Amino acid sequence: MKLVVMKFGGTSVEDATAIDRTAQIVASRIARGQQPIVVVSAMAKVTDQLLSVANCAARGDRAGALAISARLRCRHRDTASALLPMEKAAVYHTWMDVRFDALDEVLRGLAAVGELTIRVTDLVASYGERLSSKLLAATFEERGIPATAVDARDIIITDSQYGRAVPNDELIEQRSGLHLLPLVEDGRVPVMGGFIGANEQGVTTTLGRGGSDFTAALVGGAMNAEAIEIWTDVDGVMTTDPRVCPDALRVKTISFEEAAELAYFGAKVLHPATILPAVQKNIPVLVLNSRKPANEGTRIISLAPHCRSPFKCIAAKRRLTIIDVVANRMLMSHGYLKEIFDVFDRHKCAVDMVSTSEVSVSLTVDSNEKLPAIAADLGKLADVKYEGRKALVCMVGENIRGQNGIAAQVFQAIRHINVRMISQGASEINMSFMIDEDDVDEAVRSLHATFFENPDPEIFDVKAREAARSALASIALASESVKQ
Ligand code: ASP
Ligand code: MG
């Protein structure tokens, strides 16, 4: 069996046009001889709206909550009408009305009680994926793809940590064998919601926000799929932000570890921790753009492929603050660093980068309103200064392990920029430094020009850049001739 788990994010099912495109993508995989299992998110923004409707009800705003729920009902009803012939749409409408009526009952209850537990929050949030998966399956059938909607709560069995439930791999494997395998063997496409699950007693749980990728990896792992495709609205991982550097290239293949380093920078691709179940089983994960299905995307694999270039990506994180703590007693004395970190711990503030010398410690944190209070507490231990509007630039690549002269090339490229802190070694695959926020764009462009001018065509999509450059050149030529 050539099983492929295809996960579609909220934007891939946001309206009738997107759902139609999604049906075509699934059909293209079947045409290739693959057998898809589809995992789908709620329609774009629906989870946010469900969470706010629950809060609205619990605040006692019964009418407000019911009005939002009515709008959600309309959106699903209209999308079904746009996708399906009348009698099929009517079947979905009836099914959907039962769910919305039940949701409205919960909302009235919340408004009466004035209290919202995470258990009920999970129940309310689960409607988004339940509604989208049923609609997607009906559309697939209508477009000639034999499909069956499967309730994810029969498969994704978790513990009872509502809001961020932990999946039970063994039970998921059992349940996948029970509910998914027979469908696939029958040549049908199971369509299930991501993000949601149930505990062993059948109470609805969720895997945490953005959890549909996690569902796809769990199902892919349980079913030993040959690939997992994450369909989203970006082209995949890029060498850097194309808005900062128009020369950015798509990265064709990246290792799991490299992708994990990048996740911290909030790159708009999946969070790698969620695909761990796939990586552990050596199943490649592809990030693909459902608006440009012919594009190859980015393949995330467990071991890095051979690459001539030292780096895969340059990422930047802005809005950081550097805190300098200058010891008025010996820094290296026993327990001193612990006291400093205890302050951050008390304020529940995560520290990103640390660098120490004999007399001082510099730390970086996200700029936030707790800083004055943190500085005041640190001030009891040492002299403290802090400075905002800083940014962290991070160069990621498996190939920097053990290569000579890389740091020299990096700092040569940004020799005109003031570097405040440097870190290399915590992970052998990244080199990071702190600079002023205002210098970020310049630094990124200059580093990109140094390291990605002659990229390895096996790893980077060089062709797209060449095409863009020659298109630009011909526009320039044309405007020259107009001037003459
Ligand atoms: N719909 C859920 C969310 O928005 C899960 C997902 O989209 O992955 O968080
Ligand atoms: Mg989402």
Side-chain angles (χ1 to χ4, degrees):
M1 254 192 304
K2 293 173 77 180
L3 263 183
V4 52
V5 173
M6 306 177 74
K7 179 259 169 174
F8 293 92
T11 51
S12 305
V13 291
E14 64 189 346
D15 54 23
T17 317
I19 294 178
D20 248 330
R21 217 166 25 220
T22 294
Q24 283 169 28
I25 294 171
V26 173
S28 74
R29 292 302 184 263
I30 298 171
R32 266 195 207 170
Q34 287 179 305
Q35 283 177 286
I37 294 176
V38 170
V39 173
V40 64
S41 290
M43 293 173 79
K45 308 254 158 55
V46 167
T47 309
D48 288 338
Q49 285 159 0
L50 286 167
L51 294 175
S52 71
V53 89
N55 282 304
C56 178
R59 276 197 313 270
D61 184 0
R62 184 171 180 268
L66 292 173
I68 304 175
S69 166
R71 279 203 294 280
L72 280 169
R73 193 192 288 239
C74 268
R75 178 169 172 201
H76 286 84
R77 175 190 301 274
D78 293 349
T79 312
S81 298
L83 286 164
L84 303 170
M86 228 161 39
E87 49 322 338
K88 299 262 175 61
V91 174
Y92 180 77
H93 289 160
T94 311
W95 180 91
M96 181 198 90
D97 278 336
V98 175
R99 272 72 201 173
F100 273 107
D101 291 346
L103 173 63
D104 288 349
E105 267 313 293
V106 174
L107 296 177
R108 285 188 199 98
L110 285 173
V113 177
E115 187 191 314
L116 180 61
T117 61
I118 10 175
R119 174 172 161 158
V120 176
T121 306
D122 273 0
L123 173 67
V124 172
S126 76
Y127 280 94
E129 272 72 8
R130 287 155 65 191
L131 290 156
S132 65
S133 53
K134 189 81 177 172
L135 178 57
L136 206 62
T139 308
F140 287 179
E141 278 277 309
E142 190 48 38
R143 304 290 184 271
I145 303 167
T148 304
V150 174
D151 193 328
R153 295 171 299 173
D154 291 333
I155 296 171
I156 305 299
I157 307 303
T158 68
D159 68 6
S160 301
Q161 290 181 56
Y162 301 104
R164 189 164 276 283
V166 178
N168 180 328
D169 294 339
E170 233 168 84
L171 288 177
I172 291 173
E173 205 168 312
Q174 256 177 38
R175 299 293 187 97
S176 299
L178 204 64
H179 299 289
L180 299 176
L181 192 60
L183 290 172
V184 176
E185 282 175 344
D186 216 21
R188 303 191 66 77
V189 176
V191 182
M192 59 188 272
F195 171 61
I196 63 176
N199 66 14
E200 283 182 70
Q201 288 71 47
V203 181
T204 303
T205 58
T206 68
L207 301 172
R209 291 307 305 270
S212 297
D213 295 335
F214 197 11
T215 305
L218 290 166
V219 171
M223 295 288 288
N224 286 308
E226 65 171 18
I228 294 171
E229 298 182 343
I230 305 287
W231 289 89
T232 165
D233 56 359
V234 294
D235 286 346
V237 178
M238 303 292 286
T239 48
T240 196
D241 184 345
R243 285 166 306 187
V244 172
C245 181
D247 263 352
L249 299 150
R250 176 172 56 87
V251 185
K252 294 191 204 170
T253 314
I254 194 166
S255 74
F256 174 73
E257 255 191 89
E258 289 167 336
E261 285 287 353
L262 289 173
Y264 162 73
F265 293 88
K268 217 187 147 210
V269 286
L270 72 178
H271 197 291
T274 63
I275 59 161
L276 204 56
V279 173
Q280 280 163 345
K281 287 201 162 181
N282 242 325
I283 303 172
V285 176
L286 284 108
V287 180
L288 296 154
N289 188 344
S290 65
R291 291 187 184 140
K292 294 187 223 158
N295 209 320
E296 281 172 60
T298 297
R299 174 179 282 261
I300 304 173
I301 53 177
S302 30
L303 283 179
H306 177 74
C307 175
R308 276 202 276 106
S309 322
F311 296 111
K312 293 276 170 43
C313 303
I314 306 169
K317 188 169 169 128
R318 293 170 170 80
R319 297 201 59 219
L320 298 179
T321 293
I322 295 187
I323 305 176
D324 291 316
V325 182
V326 180
N328 40 32
R329 57 190 160 92
M330 286 286 278
L331 173 64
M332 288 311 154
S333 67
H334 174 78
Y336 186 73
L337 279 177
K338 180 179 179 301
E339 284 180 51
I340 291 178
F341 281 109
D342 280 348
V343 172
F344 288 92
D345 190 42
R346 273 204 303 280
H347 290 274
K348 295 197 173 25
C349 176
V351 174
D352 295 319
M353 198 199 241
V354 187
S355 112
T356 66
S357 76
E358 183 58 19
V359 291
S360 71
V361 194
S362 296
L363 311 105
T364 69
V365 298
D366 280 342
S367 301
N368 64 48
E369 67 284 358
K370 290 183 215 145
L371 280 169
I374 293 173
D377 277 2
L378 289 171
K380 294 174 195 152
L381 305 169
D383 293 331
V384 181
K385 276 193 313 234
Y386 64 97
E387 207 182 326
R389 295 187 52 77
K390 297 283 173 264
L392 180 65
V393 174
C394 169
M395 318 269 301
V396 176
E398 299 258 9
N399 271 15
I400 59 175
R401 288 187 218 261
Q403 272 204 41
N404 296 340
I406 297 290
Q409 284 181 52
V410 169
F411 293 109
Q412 173 68 15
I414 51 157
R415 61 191 174 284
H416 46 297
I417 289 170
N418 182 26
V419 175
R420 282 291 311 270
M421 275 168 82
I422 301 173
S423 140
Q424 196 208 337
S427 124
E428 283 182 67
I429 64 164
N430 103 24
M431 198 181 276
S432 319
F433 52 87
M434 293 291 287
I435 57 179
D436 278 340
E437 219 169 55
D438 293 339
D439 291 332
V440 170
D441 290 1
E442 166 67 22
V444 166
R445 282 195 280 261
S446 170
L447 287 162
H448 201 272
T450 302
F451 291 100
F452 295 96
E453 201 34 52
N454 276 311
D456 187 337
E458 290 294 314
I459 302 297
F460 304 99
D461 182 5
V462 184
K463 282 201 196 115
R465 178 163 84 183
E466 279 164 5
R469 279 182 179 173
S470 68
L472 267 180
S474 50
I475 292 171
L477 257 180
S479 68
E480 269 303 301
S481 60
V482 168
K483 272 187 227 151
Q484 284 165 7

